[in-house]
Structures are given as C-alpha cells and as structure tokens.
Amino acid sequence: MKTIKYYEKLKTFIDTNRDKNAEYLLLVGENTDFDIELLKESNINFKGAIVPQIVYEDFNSDSGIVACELTEDSDTIFIEDITNIDLKKEDFTQYDSVILVVDGLSKHLTTFLESIFHLLPIDCEIVGGGAGKMTLKQEPVIFSKDGILQDAAILIAGKQVISVGVENGWEYLEGPFIVTSAEKNLLKSLNFSNAFDVYKSIVEESSGLKFNEEQFFNIAKSYPLGIIRFNKEIVVRDAIGLDENGNIILIGDIEQNSTINFLTGKKDKLINSSSFAIKNALKKIKDKDNIKNIIIFDCISRKEFLEKDFKKELAVIKDAVPTKRVFGALSLGEIANSGNEYINFYNRTCVVGVLC
C-alpha cells in the first residue's frame, strides 16, 4: 500500500483523486452515500467492497471511505463469481502475500477458499475479511468499474511481507457437541437433536433471556459456536438467525461430523486478545523499521458485544504501533493463514496484518 486515507464523502474522494494515475482499494461503510455511477464517470481506477464499518487509526464508523492506493508491483484481481474462478498457479508464483475481500454472506466461501489455497505459493501469507451489511441479508457488495456484485471477491497479490496475528478471546461455555447434520452454512442437528433446541436451552439458561422475546442476534451475539480443529485451534462461527425450517444460519460453513463447543465472552478477555494479535504479528518482524502500515479485519459482532468498550480494542492495536497507519474494516467473517497452513474463515475474531 502506498497511501491510506479516510474520506467522509465519496465526492471528496473523487475530487481529490480524479487526476491521479493510481489504482485504489476502497472500503466503504454500509451507510455511506455511495453511488457507483459517480465513480465510473470519474475515470479513477478502483475496486472495492461495502463493509459494516470502516476502521481508520483508532476510529470506526458505518459511513465513510478508506481509500488504499496500491503499489505498482501488486496485482488486483476482481473475481466476478467465486464459484467459477479462472485463475492458474502460474498467476501467483511471483507473489508473497494476498489481501482478500469476499462476499461474507456467500454460501460458497469454503469451496472458494479451498480453491484459492491450492493456487497460491505454499509460503504465501493471506489476510482478509467478509464484506456485507448488518441486515445480514446477502446483496451485491463487491464492486469495480464493471458493476457491483454478490458472490464476488477482490484479491490483491503483492510482494510485500505480511505478518499475521489471529486471536478471538472467547471462552468455553458448554460442549463438546457433534454436528450430526449440516449443509454449508446451515447447522441442523447436534448429537442427533435439533440444533436450535440444544442451543436455545443452554443459551437461555446462561443469559436469562428468551429467544421468543428478543431478536435472535441480540442474544446470539454473546454466544458464538467454536469449531474444534485437530490442532486444538478454535474457529469461531456466528449464529445470525434461523431459516424457514428452524435451522441455525451461520456466517461461514460448518462440516458434518465436526466437533463444536458453545462459547461465551468477557469484555476484558476480548480486548486483551486483540492486544495479543498485534503483538504476535509484530514478534515475527525482525526489522521493525520495515513496517509500513497495519491492516485489520475485526468482526462486527465483537463491536456489537463490546459496545462502547470497542474503542479500547482499537486503542490497544494502535498503541502497539503508534507511528504506523492502521486501517481496515469491521467485517462479516475474517480470513487468515500463516505460511503453509490452510486458509481459515473465522467469525468473532481479530485478524491483524503487519505490512512490510
């Protein structure tokens, strides 16, 4: 990234940059007055995504634009349909890192990330997140001069080094449970019982709230699911609602026969986990003078859970790198790997990338 700037309004971004010979990644808060036709008419070279909120330094907002001017040695690929990727391994052999923004409510995320993983060099570092809006209904959110689409993605491949830190801070509440029936992002049964009945019983007892008296997400934001991986890593999944058949809708897929725990959280633990994420990423950088800026994809559900204390989460990240620019998004799902590890799609997680 060459320069990263915040603009309150789209018109200001266009007026400031229309004469520049540059390419931009635009992260746009969902409540921004956004007209893609104005961008098309400006002749600015852009690709971008609508996200729940943007992050700039220690500031977050559901309106405004973070504009990232890209370096000449990076390659920006607009993937119009993540179910039909026309790319080859040879396209990525010269690159060391990838920033990836994808439709966070797509039902095809797992298959897409598997395809991308097999295309990239084995030591390529990946950081990214899911675009979308807080309606939690899928709609077109990934855009370029060709229009605005759903089930799409933006991939920025570069030679810059990215050191990744990933932490979530959620704690065990109940489990384990076996996923005995699931389909993509629908969780149907746990231990051969209706998944929502199991979830409802435990969460209502813990929270003292009733799902028939509250909006689903108002309760579920404090009780995510944790998929237990073979290396004991916990990959968090957001429960965002029920489908017409009473199945739990998740952000991201869940595999049948996987093992999960129900999780809960404490505000101080989540804030501390973000501090661990940036510190772990910084540990891997031998020469701190090479650090250029910090990209963050932090789950919008963490902000909803932390409420006013979310400012503390951003502050601990900024305090760790006071002289470097921090930018990114509050996302619907977070993407990261490290070296030759499989690409994970997380929820309720803080993913930090130190760009060198």
Side-chain angles (χ1 to χ4, degrees):
M1 303 287 181
K2 272 189 176 179
T3 60
I4 299 105
K5 294 183 179 179
Y6 167 77
Y7 297 89
E8 185 177 354
K9 297 180 179 179
L10 178 63
K11 186 178 184 301
T12 308
F13 166 74
I14 292 172
D15 291 344
T16 304
N17 298 286
R18 68 169 68 249
D19 297 325
K20 290 184 179 179
N21 182 23
E23 182 178 13
Y24 294 91
L25 169 67
L26 303 180
L27 300 173
V28 181
E30 66 171 66
N31 287 326
T32 306
D33 185 7
F34 179 72
D35 185 349
I36 193 169
E37 296 303 320
L38 288 178
L39 267 176
K40 288 181 180 180
E41 294 167 3
S42 71
N43 293 319
I44 294 173
N45 189 5
F46 66 89
K47 294 177 179 67
I50 298 172
V51 296
Q53 295 197 14
I54 52 91
V55 172
Y56 187 75
E57 301 289 40
D58 57 358
F59 165 76
N60 62 287
S61 175
D62 61 7
S63 66
I65 299 168
V66 173
C68 313
E69 184 180 349
L70 304 177
T71 57
E72 290 81 0
D73 61 355
S74 62
D75 190 5
T76 308
I77 300 168
F78 189 80
I79 302 172
E80 294 185 358
D81 180 1
I82 64 174
T83 67
N84 184 24
I85 305 172
D86 186 22
L87 297 170
K88 301 175 182 178
K89 280 191 173 184
E90 292 76 20
D91 297 328
F92 299 100
T93 53
Q94 61 181 316
Y95 297 115
D96 299 313
S97 62
V98 162
I99 296 172
L100 183 61
V101 184
V102 64
D103 180 347
L105 294 175
S106 175
K107 295 180 180 179
H108 309 289
L109 286 168
T110 297
T111 304
F112 169 65
L113 292 177
E114 286 174 353
S115 300
I116 294 297
F117 177 75
H118 292 299
L119 289 171
L120 298 178
I122 196 167
D123 56 351
C124 187
E125 302 277 0
I126 301 104
V127 64
K133 299 181 180 180
M134 283 301 289
T135 59
L136 301 178
K137 295 179 180 179
Q138 190 182 17
E139 59 182 284
V141 290
I142 306 290
F143 59 84
S144 72
K145 282 193 172 183
D146 296 324
I148 183 165
L149 303 172
Q150 64 184 46
D151 289 319
I154 300 164
L155 189 155
I156 302 170
K159 295 182 178 180
Q160 65 185 350
V161 172
I162 300 181
S163 178
V164 181
V166 180
E167 295 288 342
N168 66 70
W170 296 93
E171 298 180 317
Y172 172 88
L173 174 65
E174 193 72 46
F177 301 94
I178 303 299
V179 177
T180 45
S181 182
E183 182 181 357
K184 292 187 176 178
N185 68 329
L186 295 179
L187 176 59
K188 299 181 177 182
S189 73
L190 294 169
N191 294 355
F192 299 101
S193 297
N194 178 274
F196 179 59
D197 288 344
V198 178
Y199 183 73
K200 177 175 181 287
S201 174
I202 292 169
V203 169
E204 286 188 343
E205 181 179 356
S206 174
S207 67
L209 302 173
K210 301 293 183 183
F211 278 100
N212 62 345
E213 298 174 359
E214 298 274 347
Q215 289 187 351
F216 184 97
F217 190 69
N218 285 345
I219 301 177
K221 68 183 182 181
S222 302
Y223 296 94
L225 311 179
I227 304 171
I228 305 170
R229 291 289 167 83
F230 66 92
N231 59 357
K232 298 185 179 180
E233 179 188 18
I234 300 295
V235 175
V236 183
R237 282 286 177 270
D238 252 334
I240 60 172
L242 302 176
D243 73 357
E244 62 276 10
N245 297 314
N247 300 312
I248 299 176
I249 304 170
L250 307 176
I251 296 180
D253 290 2
I254 190 166
E255 294 183 3
Q256 192 159 311
N257 298 320
S258 56
T259 304
I260 70 166
N261 290 328
F262 294 162
L263 306 176
T264 189
K266 297 177 182 176
K267 290 185 177 183
D268 60 337
K269 291 287 183 69
L270 266 70
I271 293 166
N272 287 340
S273 73
S274 298
S275 176
F276 295 147
I278 182 63
K279 288 176 181 177
N280 289 339
L282 289 169
K283 280 180 186 176
K284 305 172 193 175
I285 306 297
K286 293 181 180 179
D287 188 353
K288 300 297 189 290
D289 291 336
N290 289 335
I291 297 174
K292 293 182 173 61
N293 36 58
I294 313 296
I295 189 168
I296 175 174
F297 290 93
D298 202 345
C299 189
I300 185 65
S301 294
R302 292 173 70 89
K303 185 261 178 189
E304 295 296 305
F305 177 79
L306 289 170
E307 299 175 324
K308 293 180 180 179
D309 287 329
F310 183 73
K311 294 293 184 185
K312 297 178 182 178
E313 176 148 311
L314 292 183
V316 297
I317 294 171
K318 181 59 185 176
D319 288 349
V321 284
T323 63
K324 306 299 178 183
R325 184 80 73 209
V326 176
F327 71 100
L330 302 188
S331 51
L332 295 176
E334 299 73 51
I335 298 166
N337 86 326
S338 181
N340 60 2
E341 295 177 11
Y342 177 72
I343 304 173
N344 278 320
F345 184 77
Y346 300 92
N347 298 158
R348 306 287 184 100
T349 298
C350 179
V351 170
V352 178
V354 178
L355 309 182
C356 297

